């Protein structure tokens, strides 16, 4: 019997709680696979008093009997990858046993990170707010057909290919007034490369399709969020990959008719790191309280996250683009501090009421139109069943399900694995 691939992805600007939920859902699957992005991602898992942040490695890695695949659509920085593996091994995780890496995944070179920094510095105030992990320049080399891939590490001419690409980058860097020194990073990079070569490097598209043929279940783990998608996000304030469900097909070699559930995660409010339009952003004390209460500081860069109320037009858009079949809401516990909770139902643009983000959102004065809802003012973090939910929380959930025409199957009420309420079955 052939099975399907479920896709779990963020519906906002990232950091929706994907890592936590993938870890919670892993027991239902045989394989967890990352399909895009790279170490710009920071996926936090908490269980048994352990807090751990993963960047490149799928969030199923703590379950000893599950396979974890880094797909062809991912970009890998050997320096960060080695650090991740070393940290996991220290915790007693037998990483090599169940971690598989696509031969076709592209490598982030030290000079890609320098190019990222130079490009951002050059943009000045118009910078994207990149994590500076070299993501943009690496995907540019991929689509420009200059990239280095994991499979190249085993070729006789690897050194030559590396030097050629590095020299190309050096030439580009001459056009910038940007000082850099990659000596140290390059040393760590080569050490990372040696580590990578000892891991299970595979043709992951064959591997994953064989798993499906053998009746195994796969969960594709998204990184970033749909509003950071290269095509459908708030361009140019986006990342450089397709973060939406379709990215799972190209990033894993899975045919579209093999996709099963599309599980969309959103926070009960919104956050964004980096620049770009954010209609419901709160620049006042309310936003600051949200940031403190929700510990909204980047898992990868430590930067404070911009905070704001939930944006329904944006969610409707990402649900449409992804074909979301079920929703997961996280961090409702954070909103317990507010008497009134606002939800953006529409925007106002030039005196007109609209329900979509315009093409040039970054340049327009978009005002959110809000609906007020009563707050629950109750600590939710210790609840274990839906029938314990305060009425105001149930009203919030039902309102959203109605507006979004999609069921909310899980409500997450804290960072720990156990703080997860299953409302409806997630898997068939
Ligand atoms: P990801 O990138 O989507 O995996 O999310 P991040 O790990 O970057 O950010 C989510 C943050 O919220 C992490 O610190 C999680 O531990 C935490 N978190 C996840 N779900 C919940 C929740 O329901 N409530 C609270 N309070 N924190 C949560
Ligand atoms: P996870 O998987 C939140 C943002 C950056 C910046 C823009 C481009 O943890 O949800 P890049 O480094 O890709 O060139 O940055 O995208 N960004 C994220 N924001 N969560 C992420 O990943 C992000 N990955 C990139 O802040 O605005
Ligand atoms: Mg994150």
């Amino acid at each position: 019997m052939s099975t399907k691939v479920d896709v779990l992805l963020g519906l906002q600007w990232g950091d929706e709680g994907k890592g936590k939920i993938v870890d919670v859902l892993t027991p239902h699957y045989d394989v967890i696979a990352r399909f895009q992005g790279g170490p710009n991602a920071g996926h936090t898992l908490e269980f048994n008093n352990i807090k751990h942040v993963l960047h490149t490695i799928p969030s199923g890695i703590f379950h000893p009997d599950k396979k974890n695949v880094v797909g062809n659509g991912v970009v890998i920085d050997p320096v960060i990858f080695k650090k991740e593996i070393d940290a996991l091994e220290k915790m007693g995780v037998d990483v090599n046993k169940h971690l598989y890496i696509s031969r076709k995944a592209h490598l982030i070179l030290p000079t890609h990170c320098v190019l990222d920094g130079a490009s951002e510095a050059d943009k000045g105030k118009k910078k994207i707010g990149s994590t500076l992990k070299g993501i943009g320049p690496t995907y540019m080399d991929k689509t420009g057909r200059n990239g280095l891939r994991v499979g190249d590490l085993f070729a006789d001419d690897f050194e030559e290919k590396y030097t050629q690409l590095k020299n190309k980058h050096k030439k580009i860097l001459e056009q910038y007034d940007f000082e850099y020194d990659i000596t140290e990073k390059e040393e760590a990079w080569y050490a990372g490369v040696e580590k990578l070569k000892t891991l299970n490097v595979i043709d992951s598209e064959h591997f994953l399709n064989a798993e499906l043929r053998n009746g195994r279940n796969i969960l594709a783990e998204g990184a970033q969020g749909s509003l950071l998608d290269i095509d459908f996000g708030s361009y140019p304030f986006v990342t450089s990959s397709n973060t939406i469900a379709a990215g799972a097909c190209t990033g894993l070699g899975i045919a579209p008719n093999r996709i099963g559930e599309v599980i969309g995660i959103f926070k009960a409010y919104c956050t964004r790191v980096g620049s770009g339009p954010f209609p419901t952003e709160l620049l006042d004390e309310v936003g600051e309280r949200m940031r403190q209460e929700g510990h909204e500081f980047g898992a990868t860069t430590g930067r404070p996250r911009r905070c704001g109320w939930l944006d329904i037009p944006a969610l409707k858009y990402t649900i449409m683009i992804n074909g979301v079949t079920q929703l997961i809401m996280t961090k409702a516990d954070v909103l317990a501090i507010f008497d009134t909770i606002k939800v953006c139902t529409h925007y106002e643009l030039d005196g007109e009421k609209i329900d979509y983000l315009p093409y040039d959102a970054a340049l327009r004065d978009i005002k959110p139109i809000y609906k007020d809802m009563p707050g629950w003012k109750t600590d939710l973090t210790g609840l274990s069943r839906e029938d314990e939910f305060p009425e105001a929380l149930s009203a919030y959930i039902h309102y959203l399900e109605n507006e979004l025409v999609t069921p909310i199957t899980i409500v997450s009420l804290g960072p720990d694995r156990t703080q997860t309420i299953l409302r409806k079955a997630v898997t068939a």
Side-chain angles (χ1 to χ4, degrees):
M1 188 199 65
S2 192
T3 43
K4 297 261 180 184
V5 179
D6 291 346
V7 185
L8 180 143
L9 43 76
L11 295 178
Q12 296 161 320
W13 287 281
D15 304 330
E16 297 89 349
K18 298 176 290 295
K20 169 190 162 160
I21 298 295
V22 169
D23 172 58
V24 166
L25 293 180
T26 295
H28 298 282
Y29 294 90
D30 303 294
V31 183
I32 311 297
R34 274 278 303 269
F35 57 91
Q36 46 67 235
N40 47 350
H43 295 181
T44 315
L45 283 65
E46 286 195 37
F47 53 90
N48 306 341
N49 294 322
I50 295 171
K51 178 176 172 173
H52 194 82
V53 181
L54 294 164
H55 299 287
T56 328
I57 294 174
S59 300
I61 198 71
F62 286 100
H63 297 254
D65 51 340
K66 306 295 178 179
K67 296 173 183 166
N68 286 269
V69 175
V70 177
N72 56 279
V74 175
V75 290
I76 299 175
D77 182 335
V79 181
I80 296 175
F81 203 59
K82 181 174 184 301
K83 274 192 198 152
E84 282 192 75
I85 290 168
D86 289 349
L88 287 167
E89 281 176 347
K90 249 192 206 154
M91 294 167 80
V93 179
D94 186 358
V95 181
N96 205 11
K97 190 166 163 216
H98 285 313
L99 180 65
Y100 302 87
I101 298 134
S102 168
R103 245 184 257 292
K104 296 191 173 80
H106 278 247
L107 293 170
I108 302 175
L109 271 55
T111 37
H112 280 132
C113 301
V114 179
L115 281 167
D116 218 357
S119 166
E120 285 283 81
D122 192 57
K123 282 181 196 265
K125 277 194 180 143
K126 289 188 177 157
K127 73 174 182 182
I128 287 153
S130 162
T131 60
L132 303 179
K133 303 294 177 195
I135 305 296
T138 306
Y139 279 113
M140 279 165 73
D141 273 334
K142 174 178 178 175
T143 50
R145 296 158 295 178
N146 295 308
L148 265 188
R149 301 189 288 176
V150 170
D152 293 328
L153 298 176
F154 303 93
D156 292 340
D157 61 349
F158 166 68
E159 194 61 42
E160 193 185 317
K161 279 184 170 155
Y162 171 76
T163 309
Q164 208 174 5
L165 189 53
K166 180 173 81 171
N167 287 342
K168 184 189 117 172
H169 294 159
K170 281 183 167 173
K171 270 191 218 151
I172 300 171
L173 282 163
E174 279 168 20
Q175 295 161 34
Y176 291 100
D177 178 21
F178 194 77
E179 272 186 39
Y180 64 95
D181 179 1
I182 57 163
T183 326
E184 233 174 82
K185 177 95 195 235
E186 203 171 39
E187 209 173 288
W189 194 83
Y190 273 111
V193 158
E194 287 313 311
K195 182 78 187 180
L196 246 177
K197 284 162 78 174
T198 66
L199 302 176
N200 304 309
V201 173
I202 58 164
D203 291 316
S204 58
E205 64 278 32
H206 286 295
F207 177 90
L208 291 168
N209 281 289
E211 290 287 308
L212 286 178
R213 277 197 306 277
N214 292 325
R216 307 221 203 286
N217 296 311
I218 299 176
L219 179 65
E221 173 180 1
Q224 290 75 59
S226 302
L227 295 168
L228 290 171
D229 181 87
I230 182 74
D231 282 280
F232 300 106
S234 45
Y235 194 88
F237 302 104
V238 293
T239 191
S240 296
S241 63
N242 279 119
T243 59
I244 59 168
C249 295
T250 53
L252 294 175
I254 298 286
N257 60 359
R258 287 273 167 267
I259 301 292
E261 293 293 313
V262 179
I263 307 166
I265 301 203
F266 67 100
K267 273 182 201 174
Y269 50 98
C270 286
T271 63
R272 176 166 201 169
V273 204
S275 328
F278 182 176
T280 63
E281 181 171 18
L282 294 163
L283 296 164
D284 56 7
E285 189 242 347
V286 179
E288 186 53 38
R289 286 179 69 202
M290 237 180 231
R291 180 157 38 249
Q292 294 305 332
E293 191 65 19
H295 307 289
E296 296 297 355
F297 297 89
T300 296
T301 57
R303 290 179 292 176
R305 295 176 181 146
R306 299 157 67 193
C307 296
W309 297 114
L310 191 66
D311 185 333
I312 289 188
L315 270 184
K316 283 184 176 166
Y317 180 68
T318 53
I319 288 171
M320 173 182 82
I321 293 297
N322 286 300
V324 169
T325 57
Q326 54 177 295
L327 293 163
I328 292 178
M329 181 169 81
T330 60
K331 302 195 96 160
D333 53 301
V334 173
L335 297 183
I337 53 172
F338 298 111
D339 294 325
T340 301
I341 290 167
K342 289 181 183 291
V343 185
C344 167
T345 59
H346 295 82
Y347 310 125
E348 191 190 310
L349 180 66
D350 301 334
E352 239 184 89
K353 192 173 168 185
I354 58 167
D355 61 0
Y356 61 92
L357 265 177
Y359 172 78
D360 48 359
L363 307 171
R364 310 291 289 275
D365 183 20
I366 302 163
K367 289 197 184 72
I369 299 173
Y370 289 115
K371 171 186 167 66
D372 283 358
M373 299 199 61
W376 34 90
K377 298 290 281 182
T378 312
D379 178 8
L380 306 176
T381 55
L383 303 189
S384 52
R385 291 194 322 267
E386 190 183 359
D387 59 18
E388 298 167 345
F389 284 6
E391 215 172 285
L393 174 64
S394 295
Y396 193 67
I397 292 170
H398 290 135
Y399 171 74
L400 293 178
E401 283 188 318
N402 257 333
E403 280 295 309
L404 304 170
V405 204
T406 316
I408 298 178
T409 50
I410 288 179
V411 177
S412 167
L413 298 176
D416 195 86
R417 233 184 222 174
T418 56
Q419 294 170 304
T420 312
I421 315 283
L422 184 69
R423 296 183 68 231
K424 297 166 190 172
V426 173
T427 47

